Amino acid sequence: TFILTIAGGGSTYTPGIVKSLLMRKDQFKLEELRMYDIDAERQNKVAVIVKEVVKEMDPSLKLVLTTDPEEAFKDADFVFAQMRVGKYKMRELDEKIPLKYDVVGQETCGPGGMAYGLRTIFPMIELIDFVEKYAKKTCWIVNYSNPASIVAEAIRRLRPNSRIMNICDMPVGVMRNMAAILGVAREELTVDYFGLNHFGWFTKVYVNGEDKLPVLREHARVHGLLTEDMSKVDVQHSDPSWIKTYKNIKYLVDMFPEYIPNPYMQYYLLSDHIVANTNKERTRANEVMEGREKRLFDAVDQYLATGEMNKDAFYVGVHGLFIVDVAISLAFDLRKRFLVIVENKGAIKNLPDDAMVEIPAYITSNGPEPVRVGEIPTFYKGLIEQQLAAEKLLVDAALENSYEKALMAFTMNKTVKSAFQAKQILDDLIEANKEYWPEL
Ligand code: G6P
Ligand code: MN
């Protein structure tokens, strides 16, 4: 039995993760579940729902809420990290400030993602140090904290020996949609994939040994990565903006002859189209605050007032299931194959060894054993190298307190058209992030 801590307990995703954990309780038995957050008030609210989930699914489970790192991590076996530094308020600024200059406003891509990166690097290192100090020596951190590429690169440099698995649920979310399109279960898909986090391509999609990529491309060039009734496939990703995101993929599939891109590629490769079709006053952060976050907190209020719990107020889907699946594979040495973020070390032959890449790996109790991807074609290699350079420069900026490096990172990012534009956006973001960023 395990002690597991969710760092970022106040997240809207926490109830879904807890439910996913308890759905797997026969295989992955918890003796204690801890929620840790720096915002006690928010965490207490989310815990109202979590307590209900626990009461219903595993009443004997001990649940601890804390804002104290020692209490949170003492003897922990697993830590699930999902911090959002600055919360949705700062996400809103990450999205809206670049849009003022007609640049993509997105949580993890472009200037917004870099801003979020500068907020997250040091809190993430602090978290790793807490875990190192208090948890079991064998403890694994499974990390969803965004922007995952930048966070992973900073950890690689500053804490190279930490036991951390950096993951993202976007590929597995796409696989869920692909499975629905093909009419099979997600578990039946085995994929080949390469890239950086939120910057990659599916190159093979096997079902029973047969590559379904051509069939999926045919579907995707007309319909995108969608089936008719997405609400049956996934509630969360049937929000209008997610439908649009999956739909836009059709343009890229139609224009380029091979592979299926990660939906995030549209921010880099269709940035003019994206900006033209974005409401600059109301971005995804607003939708989330008025949607997922409000639904959850309304349900808490309603529960406290009436004792009735709205079970649809939180999201259970691939996001929660995936992190639990990765943890189970780590815990029991299952060697399951997942797409995760690892140091390249030759896996993609014609990219630098020290790039943090997203590729398939077999998850063992000693961590990931990445597959060999081999050489990738020039188009993808060029795009990835530019994005990688931007990410590395951004981490340099944080570690060297360098405005110049930050400006280079912003200029390098493909969503940004000129150095003037990069500088204006950077200066606005410095102002907005005064409380959070290292000094540049
Ligand atoms: C996917 C990505 C995450 C990202 C999330 C945003 O799950 O993999 O990295 O944070 O989408 O979703 P939201 O519904 O908050 O816009
Ligand atoms: Mn992600």
Side-chain angles (χ1 to χ4, degrees), residues 182-196:
L182 296 171
V184 301
R186 176 169 63 86
E187 291 73 17
E188 291 178 62
L189 266 48
T190 304
V191 302
D192 284 342
Y193 182 98
F194 67 76
L196 310 171

Side-chain angles (χ1 to χ4, degrees), residues 14-241:
T14 300
I17 291 179
V18 172
K19 183 145 185 190
S20 302
L21 277 167
L22 300 186
M23 282 162 67
R24 302 275 209 272
K25 68 175 182 188
D26 294 336
Q27 199 182 1
F28 191 67
K29 183 80 191 138
L30 298 183
E31 66 177 87
E32 195 173 323
L33 176 64
R34 302 181 187 152
M35 291 167 64
Y36 168 71
D37 206 292
I38 56 173
D39 181 341
E41 195 188 328
R42 187 181 168 107
Q43 173 160 274
N44 286 339
K45 279 200 207 167
V46 172
V48 170
I49 304 273
V50 171
K51 280 177 195 155
E52 270 305 292
V53 173
V54 169
K55 195 164 93 191
E56 188 181 305
M57 297 180 73
D58 193 2
S60 65
L61 177 64
K62 181 171 175 205
L63 178 67
V64 174
L65 307 183
T66 182
T67 56
D68 172 43
E70 180 168 4
E71 194 185 1
F73 302 117
K74 183 113 193 82
D75 295 329
D77 298 286
F78 284 91
V79 173
F80 287 179
Q82 44 160 1
M83 63 169 70
R84 180 179 285 283
V85 182
K87 305 202 184 81
Y88 290 122
K89 270 279 143 224
M90 290 308 294
R91 174 176 179 176
E92 184 181 13
L93 294 175
D94 292 343
E95 293 170 351
K96 289 186 177 172
I97 290 172
L99 279 169
K100 274 202 334 212
Y101 300 95
D102 283 327
V103 170
V104 167
Q106 213 282 329
E107 162 197 42
T108 61
C109 302
M114 291 187 281
Y116 190 11
L118 290 174
R119 290 200 300 278
T120 310
I121 289 173
F122 291 108
M124 198 57 218
I125 296 298
E126 183 186 45
L127 177 76
I128 290 171
D129 290 346
F130 285 146
V131 174
E132 163 94 344
K133 183 162 176 203
Y134 299 119
K136 292 203 181 107
K137 287 294 155 250
T138 52
C139 179
W140 275 103
I141 304 174
V142 192
N143 182 40
Y144 261 146
S145 308
N146 265 329
S149 267
I150 290 165
V151 167
E153 170 64 10
I155 296 169
R156 184 190 69 77
R157 290 203 219 172
L158 295 174
R159 297 294 182 272
N161 299 320
S162 49
R163 286 166 68 89
I164 185 163
M165 274 302 327
N166 294 297
I167 60 166
C168 164
D169 66 332
M170 194 70 253
V172 83
V174 170
M175 287 163 69
R176 166 202 63 210
N177 292 16
M178 287 174 166
I181 292 164
L182 296 171
V184 301
R186 176 169 63 86
E187 291 73 17
E188 291 178 62
L189 266 48
T190 304
V191 302
D192 284 342
Y193 182 98
F194 67 76
L196 310 171
N197 177 244
H198 291 187
F199 202 102
W201 291 266
F202 291 88
T203 61
K204 297 269 195 251
V205 182
Y206 294 107
V207 179
N208 281 326
E210 196 189 330
D211 183 14
K212 296 286 187 189
L213 191 88
V215 185
L216 287 165
R217 277 184 47 88
E218 268 316 299
H219 177 98
R221 51 182 286 276
V222 182
H223 306 288
L225 287 166
L226 292 171
T227 57
E228 247 160 60
D229 188 356
M230 279 305 293
S231 64
K232 292 208 187 94
V233 177
D234 187 282
V235 186
Q236 172 117 337
H237 282 194
S238 49
D239 276 2
S241 56

Side-chain angles (χ1 to χ4, degrees), residues 16-17 19 74 86 135 223 277 281 285 287 291 338 366 387 426:
I17 291 179
K19 183 145 185 190
K74 183 113 193 82
H223 306 288
N277 289 285
E281 315 302 320
E287 276 183 22
F338 296 113
N366 293 317
Q387 174 68 11
L426 175 60

